[in-house]
Amino acid sequence: MPSAPWLNVLLDCPGNPGAFTYAQPPDLIIHPGDLVSVPFGSGQMGGIVIGLLEQLPPDLLPEQVRPIIEVIQRRFFSLTYWQLLERTAVYYYTPLVQVLKTALPPGLLQRSQRRISLVQPCPRSNGLISEKAQQILALLQASPTGDYSWRYIHQKIPRAQAPLAELLKNGWVKSYLRPPSPPQAKQQQAVILIQASGDHLTARQQEILSYLQQSGGELWLQDLLQACQTSKSTLNTLAQKGCITITLRQKLRLEQGLTTAVATPKSLTSAQTQALSHINAATQAQTFLLHGVTGSGKTEVYIQAIRPRLAEGQSALVLVPEIGLTPQMLDRFQAIFGEQVLVYHSALSEGERYDTWRQLLLEKPRLVIGTRSAIFLPLHSLGILVLDEEHDSGYKQEQPSPCYHARTLAQWRSELENCPLILGSATPGLATWQQKLEDKLTYLPLPQRIQARPLPPIEIVDLRNELHQGNRSMFSRTLFSALENLPASGQALLFIHRRGHSTFVSCRSCGQALECPHCSVSLTYHWPDPQQAPVLRCHYCNFSRPQPKQCPSCQSPYLKPFGGGTQRAVQELKERLPDLKVIRFDSDTTQRKGAHRQLLEAFTRQEAQVMIGTQMLTKGMDIENVNLVGILTADGLLHFADFQAGERTFQTLTQVAGRAGRGDKPGRVILQTYTPEHQVIQAVQAYAYEDFAADELQQRQALNYPPYGQLVLIRLSSPDPEAVAQTAQTVSTSCQQLTGLNSAEVDILGPAPAPILKVAQRYRWQILLKFNRRQSGQCPPLPLDVNALRQLCPGNVRLGLDVDPQNFF
Ligand code: ADP
Ligand code: ZN
Ligand code: ZN
C-alpha cells in the first residue's frame, strides 16, 4: 500500500494535546492508528498517527519536518474502533484530533511507558553490530526480566538512538508500550461479618449485624455507618464481641454500587421471551426496538440478552441518558453480574475514568454502564449494545464538538463490530419510529406492565377555567385538593417544565401560543430594552413581530409570556400546606456528586411526601409509594420553540405519568394545561403513541423536518456584536453555494440571533440549513464545504457546526 509522505500525529503534550506533522521514515510503512515514537523538542514522545497527508500544510517547509522514529505498536486500537472515530470526525465535521480528545481519557499516552525487551533466543553479539549496540544487548541480558524502560537505557548508554534502531531493525530487540502501572489502590476500611448473632446484644447492635448479613456480609465502613446511622464506637464494641472485624481493604477507584445483594434472572413473560429469542438469534449487526412502557420489563430483557454473551467472553455496553440513572442500573446489573460491571460517566474523576479505561484494555469481558461518552470506550470484543430510553435528548452532545448523538454512533458501532443493538423506550424517538415503519429495524413490543398493573388514568385540568373562576395559583383546585388529601402513606411527584432562559407568549384565556408563520415553531419572547415594546422572534428564520396587546384569536388581554419554576411552586406549597414535607429536585439541588441519589433515597424512605422537580423527575425513578403525579403545566413543553416540541411533550408527559402507581396502589395523574384540546395532550391522555407518531410524522414531512430532511445548525459567536452579525449575513448568503445544492434541495433559514443572544460575553447568531432529503448510503457527511465556510469567518468569530441539532439555544 503506497503511503503518503507526511503524517499527522496526535501528541499528548502536557497541557496541550494536539496534532503535529511528521515525515514518513524511509524504511517503515506507517498507518493511521499506529502508536509511534517521534522526536519532540530535544526529546522523544509517544503519539498516535491520525492521518496521512499528501501535502504539507502551507506554513511548513519539508526540511522543517522530522521523520517518525519508530512504530511502538501497530494498531493501538482495533480497526473497527478506529473506523468509529473516523466516521465521527467526518460526519460531524470535526477534526479527528478533537474526536480523539473526546474519546480518550486524559493523559493516556503520557502515562504509558515505552520499554525495550530482548527477543528470544538471545542473539550472540558478534562483529555484525556496532559496539554501542552490543552494550545495549549486554545491558538487556543482565536485566532479570530481559527488558528495561527506554528512558533507563538512554540514561545508561548515551546516544543510544542509532544503535537501538539497528537492533530493532535486525529484530533482536523489540519495543513495546507498557500500559501505565496499575492504579494506586486506595486502602479503605471494611467491615466483615464474623457471626450474625451473639450474647448480650442490644436490639440496635443486632440490627446492624442483620443489615450487614443482608448486604452479603461485607461493607465499606463508611457505607455501613451511613446506612445504619451508627457510630464507629458501636462497631468497635461489636468487634470486641467478636461479631465483626474491621480491616483495611484495597479499593479500586471504580464506582461501586451500594448493595452487594445477589439476584437471579427472573422467569420471563411470553412477550419478554419472544423479544429475547429474537435478540439471542442475532449473529450480526441488527437493530432492535424494544418498545414498552416503564415497568414492562425491558431492563430484565437487557439483562438476559447480555448474560449469554458475557458468558461467551464478549463485552456489553449499556447506555443511559443521564448520570442520575446510573446508580439504579448499576445496582440491578451488579446484582446479577457482580464485579464484571463497570461504570463510566463524566462525573467520575480523571483518575476513576482512567482506571476504568485501563480495566478495559485487559481484554476481559466486561459490562459497562455509562452515559453517552461511554460509546467511545474501547471494549474488548463487543457483543451487544443497549441504549435505554433511546429517545432521550441526553444522548446528544451539545458542546464541545463533536456534537455527536450516541444513538447514531451506537448504530455505527453495531455495524462495525457486527453485533446487535437494542434501543429501548416507552416512547421511541420519531427517527427510530420512522426506521420501524420502513422495516429497517426489528420491532419487539412489550405491550403490558409486569403483572398487568394498569397505567394510571390521566385527568386533564383546563387552566383557562381556573383563570375564569379567579384562581391564579400554580395549582388548580383539583390538584390542590389531591395534595391536601394525600393519604399518610402516599407520596406525590410534581413536575414543572423549566429550561430557565427562553419563553413564549400564550393566551391564558384560550390557550393559543403565538407561532412563526413560516416555521411552525413558537415565537420567543424578547424584551431587551425596557424603554421599548417587547418583540416576538422566530429563532429559526428571524421573523419578528411586536408583542400584540390582545390575543389574535379571542381578543383577550391575558396574552402573556410564560413562566413559573420549581422555586415558586415550593414556596406556594409551603405557604398553603405548611405541614407537607417537600423536596426540590432540579439542577440546582442536584449539582453535588451523589446528591441525586441522596435526594431520591430520602424520598424513597418517605422523609418527604412531595417531590417537586424538572425533567430529572421523569426518568427511571421507581418509587412504590407514589400514587399522585401532578404536571403543573404541559404548555411550557408544548410551546417550546423547537420543531420537536410535540415529540418531547409526548415523551416527557408519558414518562412522568408512568411514575404513578408503580407499587400495588393505584395511581392518579393530574395534568394541568391551557390547551386541553391539543392533539398531543389528547394522545398523552389516551396513551396513544402510534396515533401521535403518525400525526407528528405527517407534520414533519410537510415541512421537511427530520427524519425526512436533515438539519445542520451553524453557530457563530464573537465578543464583537457587529462582527458576528456581519459574518452571519455573509455566511448565509454563501451557504447555498457551499452545499452545491439548489434551493429546492436545501433551505437556508436565518441568519437569526440565538434565542439567548449573549452568553459568557459572546454574541451568538445562527443559521439553520435544512437539507430537504436524507442522505442515502452509509454515513456521508451532508454536503457542505466546511473549509470554505471557515474562511468566511474572521479571527474574532468562532464557528460551531451542529449536525442533527437537538437544541437551538
Ligand atoms: P422497564 O425496564 O421496562 O421499566 P423492568 O425490567 O425494570 O421494566 O421491570 C419492572 C419491574 O418488574 C421490575 O421490578 C422487575 O424486577 C420486574 N420484572 C421484570 N420482568 C419480570 C418477570 N418476568 N417476572 C417478574 N418480575 C419481573
Ligand atoms: Zn386567546
Ligand atoms: Zn420562522
Side-chain angles (χ1 to χ4, degrees), residues 718-791:
S718 170
D720 178 351
E722 300 295 320
V724 66
Q726 181 58 45
T727 307
Q729 203 58 53
T730 321
V731 167
S732 87
T733 40
S734 329
C735 253
Q736 186 169 327
Q737 201 191 345
L738 296 181
T739 63
L741 300 176
N742 65 36
S743 61
E745 293 165 318
V746 63
D747 283 330
I748 315 292
L749 302 181
I756 329 164
L757 180 61
K758 195 172 167 195
V759 173
Q761 302 305 317
R762 301 181 74 86
Y763 294 85
R764 305 149 77 238
W765 279 69
Q766 54 198 33
I767 297 153
L768 185 60
L769 305 189
K770 190 163 74 178
F771 294 86
N772 287 334
R773 284 217 333 257
R774 285 202 84 76
Q775 287 286 303
S776 51
Q778 266 207 332
C779 76
L782 290 159
L784 179 65
D785 186 343
V786 175
N787 289 331
L789 178 58
R790 286 188 205 288
Q791 272 159 26

Side-chain angles (χ1 to χ4, degrees), residues 274-297:
Q274 249 189 17
L276 184 66
S277 68
H278 280 282
I279 300 166
N280 281 345
T283 52
Q284 52 188 10
Q286 189 174 350
T287 305
F288 297 93
L289 171 59
L290 192 60
H291 185 187
V293 297
T294 23
S296 60

Side-chain angles (χ1 to χ4, degrees), residues 8 88 166 213 255 298 320 340 450 505 555 582 608-609 709 804:
N8 240 338
T88 306
E166 192 182 337
Q213 188 174 31
E255 190 173 312
K298 298 186 293 296
V320 293
Q340 279 179 300
I450 297 294
V505 169
Q555 274 67 52
V582 179
Q609 288 115 333
D804 306 329

